[in-house]
Amino acid sequence: MTLIDTDLVLSAPVNLRDLGGIAIDGGVLREGLAIRTDDLAYVTEQVADELIAGGLTAIIDLRSPLEVAVTGRGPLGEHPVAYHHLPLIADVGESMDRDKPALTHEAMGLMYQRMVDGAAPQLVIALNVIAYTPGAAAFHCAAGRDRTGVLAAMLLLALGAADDDIVTDYARTGDNMVAIMARTAPVMGAMWKALGFDADALGKTSSLLEGSMDVSMRSLLDTLRAQHGDPLTPLRAAGLSDATIARLRERALAA
């Protein structure tokens, strides 16, 4: 395991939102079921207390083992909340093309497709956690954009949300990208350096702050439907059951 030295400063999330309010099969997704967010590992103690008081009972950490090794669990690790580490990318370095690392909306869409195919078992476990935890489940990666966006999309598909509404939720992160990059810069910069990448060069070649984020998620959903008809087919093959989907829909609509 690569060791990374970085000065970790506790801070409030800048991309946290409850998925409540999105139209799903049978009605509207209630608040207090699923929260998507940027990194919870270094939130302030005040934020941790507020989340627990608000009903948080489970955390789903989608980061790689290396990222977890850098920041640990933070203040939330001191609370009686279930913790599930389900990395959607085992090695962030290997997920990048070292010769031509691309941080574009189109490249992200292709990465999302690989996540659904390669990490379907983790996504299935995450959906079961959300279905059966007695309170709210929060799921996060680093930025709360890509890996978090994929899990949010799978959850919303299971709940019967329309593709347009899934894309709209995903694209809401666009307004937070500047704040996300500022919050995660110390950790991500140190990690990229440890993995042999030039963080400054990656930033200069990135186009993630340009254009519409819709491209990435629309690409994923269109590809899944074109390949399988039912976009949940890869997850069903990995064990996603009708019972879990029914449980998710029941909990999502409960008063």
Side-chain angles (χ1 to χ4, degrees):
M1 179 77 66
T2 304
L3 296 178
I4 299 176
D5 293 322
T6 185
D7 293 326
L8 191 61
V9 178
L10 300 184
S11 58
V14 293
N15 194 32
L16 182 152
R17 58 184 180 272
D18 192 302
L19 290 178
I22 297 176
I24 59 174
D25 185 23
V28 175
L29 173 57
R30 69 172 177 85
E31 292 187 354
L33 176 72
I35 299 167
R36 57 173 297 171
T37 180
D38 49 318
D39 204 334
L40 287 180
Y42 51 101
V43 299
T44 62
E45 293 182 0
Q46 178 181 350
V47 169
D49 291 341
E50 290 173 351
L51 287 169
I52 298 300
L56 181 68
T57 58
I59 294 172
I60 301 168
D61 187 343
L62 305 173
R63 299 174 301 158
S64 67
L66 177 57
E67 291 169 280
V68 174
V70 175
T71 59
R73 293 186 56 192
L76 279 163
E78 302 301 316
H79 290 270
V81 56
Y83 174 77
H84 307 268
H85 183 212
L86 301 170
L88 297 191
I89 299 175
D91 187 318
V92 175
E94 290 184 0
S95 71
M96 300 285 289
D97 184 336
R98 291 188 175 274
D99 296 323
K100 296 180 180 180
L103 293 177
T104 67
H105 297 303
E106 292 77 12
M108 291 298 103
L110 293 173
M111 181 185 292
Y112 299 168
Q113 294 167 33
R114 293 194 296 272
M115 284 186 206
V116 173
D117 290 335
Q122 292 94 308
L123 290 166
V124 171
I125 294 172
L127 292 181
N128 275 279
V129 170
I130 297 169
Y132 291 101
T133 192
F139 52 95
H140 75 92
C141 49
R145 167 191 167 119
D146 302 309
R147 291 163 288 188
T148 298
V150 168
L151 176 53
M154 296 302 104
L155 171 61
L156 292 172
L157 284 170
L159 293 175
D163 287 5
D164 285 348
D165 291 332
I166 295 172
V167 172
T168 296
D169 170 69
Y170 167 80
R172 286 181 61 189
T173 291
D175 292 337
N176 301 328
M177 281 303 298
V178 172
I180 290 168
M181 294 175 72
R183 180 176 187 245
T184 61
V187 173
M188 298 306 292
M191 188 186 73
W192 287 129
K193 181 178 179 181
L195 292 172
F197 290 94
D198 185 330
D200 292 334
L202 282 175
K204 292 177 181 177
T205 59
S206 171
S207 61
L208 296 182
L209 294 179
E210 303 169 3
S212 172
M213 278 184 57
D214 296 18
V215 173
S216 305
M217 184 54 63
R218 185 71 67 181
S219 171
L220 171 63
L221 297 174
D222 288 350
T223 299
L224 288 173
R225 293 196 182 279
Q227 291 181 347
H228 306 290
D230 176 2
L232 289 173
T233 295
L235 272 61
R236 292 184 186 277
L240 179 63
S241 67
D242 289 339
T244 295
I245 293 175
R247 171 71 175 179
L248 283 168
R249 294 187 178 189
E250 177 185 357
R251 291 203 65 217
L253 294 172

